[in-house]
């Protein structure tokens, strides 16, 4: 699975608060997870509503961090798929994987 994990208190005592998959699914029962689920489904969200594919969404989420929350890819393969593949190679990967990455 290609996903980003969001951690709270990343520097002192990291706690996983949510995971977001390349298919746009959010797991977790924390306020952070609930907020992300709402934002992904909100057509009026000024940032997330612009994304049409899970790859774009994961890039945005993985780039977010502050002193309280940090997001990172779950593994090297996720990083490779989202950040390193060319657009053509990514389309081939989506077709081969059978995943629906449209948001």
């Amino acid at each position: 699975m290609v996903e980003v994990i969001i951690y709270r208190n990343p520097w002192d005592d990291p706690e996983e608060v949510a995971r977001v998959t390349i298919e746009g699914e959010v797991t977790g029962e924390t306020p952070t997870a609930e907020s992300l689920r709402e934002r992904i489904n909100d057509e009026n969200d000024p940032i997330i509503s612009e994304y049409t594919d899970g790859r774009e969404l994961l890039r945005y989420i993985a780039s977010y961090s502050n002193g309280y929350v940090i997001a990172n890819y779950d593994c090297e393969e996720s990083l490779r798929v989202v950040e390193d593949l060319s657009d053509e190679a990514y389309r081939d990967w989506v077709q081969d994987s059978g995943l629906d990455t449209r948001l």
Side-chain angles (χ1 to χ4, degrees):
M1 180 63 63
V2 176
E3 57 190 5
V4 167
I5 304 172
I6 302 168
Y7 297 96
R8 182 179 344 175
N9 301 322
W11 313 118
D12 298 326
D13 185 22
E15 173 190 356
E16 183 178 315
V17 294
R19 287 182 181 241
V20 183
T21 71
I22 200 161
E23 295 177 284
E25 296 176 20
V26 179
T27 58
E29 300 304 321
T30 65
T32 300
E34 292 294 330
S35 175
L36 275 170
R37 272 193 284 279
E38 289 173 11
R39 288 189 68 192
I40 289 171
N41 292 316
D42 182 357
E43 293 177 8
N44 296 318
D45 185 283
I47 297 173
I48 293 182
S49 63
E50 299 287 320
Y51 301 128
T52 59
D53 187 86
R55 182 185 195 193
E56 299 165 336
L57 176 65
L58 291 186
R59 279 183 176 157
Y60 168 71
I61 292 172
S63 70
Y64 183 80
S65 67
N66 60 33
Y68 185 65
V69 174
I70 192 168
N72 206 345
Y73 295 101
D74 67 322
C75 66
E76 289 295 321
E77 178 64 7
S78 293
L79 175 66
R80 185 187 74 79
V81 168
V82 176
E83 300 290 344
D84 296 340
L85 292 181
S86 67
D87 290 343
E88 182 178 340
Y90 174 72
R91 284 190 295 275
D92 291 343
W93 178 87
V94 169
Q95 185 174 2
D96 293 345
S97 72
L99 297 175
D100 182 2
T101 63
R102 294 170 295 159
L103 300 177

